Amino acid sequence: MKESTGRVTWGNLPQELTSFVGRRRELTEARHALTTSRLVTLTGIGGVGKTRLALRVAEDSRRAFTDGVWLVELGELHDPDLVAATVAAAIGLREQPGLPPLTMLTDHLTNRTALLVLDNCEHLIDAVARLAEALLRVCPDLRILATSREPLAIGAETVLRVPSLTVPDPERTQLQGLPRYEAVSLFVERARSAVPGFELTEENMGAVAAICQRLDGLPLPIELAAVRLRAMSAEQILDRLTDRYELLTKGSRGAPTRQQSLRMSIDWSHELCTTADQVLWRRLSVFAGGFELDAAEGVCGGEVPSLELLDGVASLVDKSILIREDAGEGVRYRMLETLREYGRDKLIEAGEFTAQQRRHRDWYASLAKSAEENWIGPRQVELIRRLDREQPNLRDALTFCVAESGEADAGLQMGVALYPYWLCRGMSTEGRHWLDRLLEVELDSPERNRIRAISVDCVLAGTQGDLRRAEALSARGRALAAALGDSDADLISCLASASVALFAGRLVEAIPQFEYAIARYRRSGDLFRLTTALVGIAVATGVSGDEDRAIAYHEEILEITEEHGESALREYSLLALALSCWSDDPVGATDLLEQALRLARVVDDPLGSSSCTEVLAWIAAADGRYRRAAVLMGAVQSRAESVGSPTVLVPNVLVHHEEAEKRTRDALADAVFEAAFRQGRGLSAEETFAYVLGEQQAQAVQTPDMVSLTRREQQVADLVSQGLTNKAIAAKLVISQRTAQGHVEHVLSKLGFNSRAQIAAWVVEQQAHLSIQAHDDE
């Protein structure tokens, strides 16, 4: 019995021994659910914090239950026949000879307003479900809050999945921003209990962030890791997390046995699974970053009927082994890395690891091949998005091809199939990485496969301006084709050689090779390579000044791409046409480039959009819109750098870039040009599209004068930009150091920044922006 706001309330909730961290959204959702549903079940994997959340929800809801809030701990109970008796004992009912525990409970709770917290129900799920249903039928004012690794699956149940704590990206950590991540806050709180005085610093923040990420934001392993600070540094803990189960073995003696180590907690989940679930868990662990149902069927189905596999996936979702997520186009499933690693260990123990990896590779190689075959078609955007989602799996499949003896030829074929995707998405670095490694490994692949891979590698190198490597690969491919005496291999190397000649500016050499390839591919029906060759020759003839031929090739490309609903290569055709006419017809060229940019946005092509924006910068400079030209130049620089490519792919038109930049710099003051250029560099891809196309979203891009600071905050920001410390700012403004610190925090909060360096950069940008406005007003 407890006193609360002058009323007597009953219950047995334990006192919290450690602070409760985060979970604001989950607390709100659970409290609201309890007002609308009589049974709320918090589900999630072991160690995610279901019990702790339930206890906080129960404590916060105590006032609504005049007859008590009662915790029933079922974790150490193993006999389902004793569930009702255990609940009765927890709420203080004494056994009565001849009276069944369920009858005792219903008699006692029928007219009472109470909350039962049934904790850790998963191993007794059927018995708990029967009890809950029986009680709720006859006790109208009773509510039940359950925690379980799977739902009770009875009528009127509201299921809330408890997610992992929020974690930062270790590659983008800012010290002042880290505490807003729940996982980091929990680690720091528990670290201070283990090592009084522990603080986040510039030196340890990266390791702490990485620890939280590698542990999937799961509270249990994070707390176990924090305890290790008694003997190790954060960096040493991170280094040893490669075998997280061995490291995280000691927890609180007061915790249930199954939660005293990470391994024991996951062992508990595994033991609760059926044999079929255990087999599927380990086989699904071969997926990286998630999977969709068709992939699960292809990799794990075998002789198992599709419906049975779907039931198995649903069972693992119910048991919190898999997480179901909406992926826009459909449903994806993912496994926390901690559970995936456990499953992979089981896969190795079962002797199935290599065979399952090969099935995984085969399925994703088939997906890549299907994307290549259907690239010139209406499914292009759908295929791009699917391959985007499957990047971790594609990389794992290619890693298998590199590492496993005798598998590199399959990797070469897979890389060739991914070529259209890599090219469209500006992923030349990615493609070159895999092809270079596979070409080094494979010695016995069929010559034509090797020539295809060399040709793809060659073109990708050319898109990044690495002409020395591209020329060497081109020569290697031609030599292999000549030695093979295969006309198809010769055609493959010819198209690659033409592309390299184009990137090198040797148009006279490139055009006849493109013509040869076009004639051959028209006969073969390979639409992707035919259209690629047509785009190449359209660029070459347009840049050479042969506008009529460029238009003719453009019309052919347009006919192919419109008939088949293709976007990516049509974008480059429009760009090629604009390149041939921009100086004589800037209005027409602008229209073409804007059409191309809309297509680039659809397929999310950074290289094509960068090239279109480059030509628009030339047009703006020629038209006297110098500030716009400078912004566009900055945007081009940023996009080109993001994919490792030069801002101008064909050196024959580099003179236009140089003339436009010179004209713009001469027209603008240095500070104005640099500020506009920085503004362009700072635009995201979507902001760049909006700016270039004049859309409303462009107005949403925040400029420095849109942030409202008080006069004192502006003074503080200016002093921060001068490098002054809080102490120096206090002395300068004749205020206390604490007040100065408060002003700095307010500035950081208003601007959405995490560091003083960002404030300094903002102040400089604000001053430049004012200079630009003054220049425009003139």
Side-chain angles (χ1 to χ4, degrees), residues 348-511:
I348 293 168
E349 288 176 15
E352 301 174 350
F353 185 62
T354 300
Q356 191 69 2
Q357 279 190 309
R358 186 172 288 107
R359 282 192 288 269
H360 175 272
R361 189 279 314 282
D362 289 346
W363 196 89
Y364 281 99
S366 175
L367 177 68
K369 186 64 177 174
S370 175
E372 180 192 31
E373 292 171 348
N374 292 282
W375 193 260
I376 306 296
R379 295 182 56 222
Q380 186 180 75
V381 174
E382 172 195 333
L383 292 167
I384 290 169
R385 290 175 180 167
R386 179 65 188 271
L387 292 176
D388 281 344
R389 297 195 297 273
E390 300 295 357
Q391 277 303 292
N393 284 306
L394 292 168
R395 287 168 181 152
D396 267 18
L398 288 165
T399 298
F400 174 77
C401 293
V402 171
E404 195 71 19
S405 177
E407 301 291 347
D409 182 60
L412 290 177
Q413 294 181 60
M414 189 173 173
V416 171
L418 286 169
Y419 167 57
Y421 170 74
W422 283 334
L423 192 64
C424 170
R425 296 290 284 107
M427 297 173 66
S428 295
T429 299
E430 173 100 5
R432 294 178 66 189
H433 166 79
W434 293 114
L435 291 170
D436 285 347
R437 293 179 68 187
L438 289 161
L439 287 167
E440 288 175 3
V441 170
E442 187 56 68
L443 299 176
D444 299 320
S445 65
E447 295 289 358
R448 191 183 296 176
N449 287 346
R450 203 180 316 167
I451 293 168
R452 283 180 177 274
I454 288 169
S455 299
V456 169
D457 203 8
C458 161
V459 176
L460 294 177
T463 65
Q464 295 193 308
D466 188 355
L467 294 179
R468 178 178 296 181
R469 175 64 174 166
E471 297 278 15
L473 286 165
S474 176
R476 181 180 171 190
R478 289 198 307 270
L480 282 172
L484 186 61
D486 184 311
S487 61
D488 287 339
D490 178 65
L491 176 60
I492 295 163
S493 61
C494 174
L495 182 55
S497 178
S499 300
V500 173
L502 177 63
F503 293 136
R506 301 193 302 271
L507 305 183
V508 174
E509 177 186 329
I511 290 173

Side-chain angles (χ1 to χ4, degrees), residues 671-672 674-676 678 763-773:
V672 175
E674 294 298 335
R678 280 198 305 275
V763 170
V764 172
E765 188 72 19
Q766 184 187 48
Q767 292 167 348
H769 184 72
L770 294 173
S771 298
I772 291 171
Q773 284 186 318

Side-chain angles (χ1 to χ4, degrees), residues 13 143 212 356 419 495 512 519 528 567 643 648 706:
L13 294 184
R143 277 176 168 38
C212 293
Q356 191 69 2
Y419 167 57
L495 182 55
F528 171 69
S567 299
V643 296
V648 175
M706 292 172 64

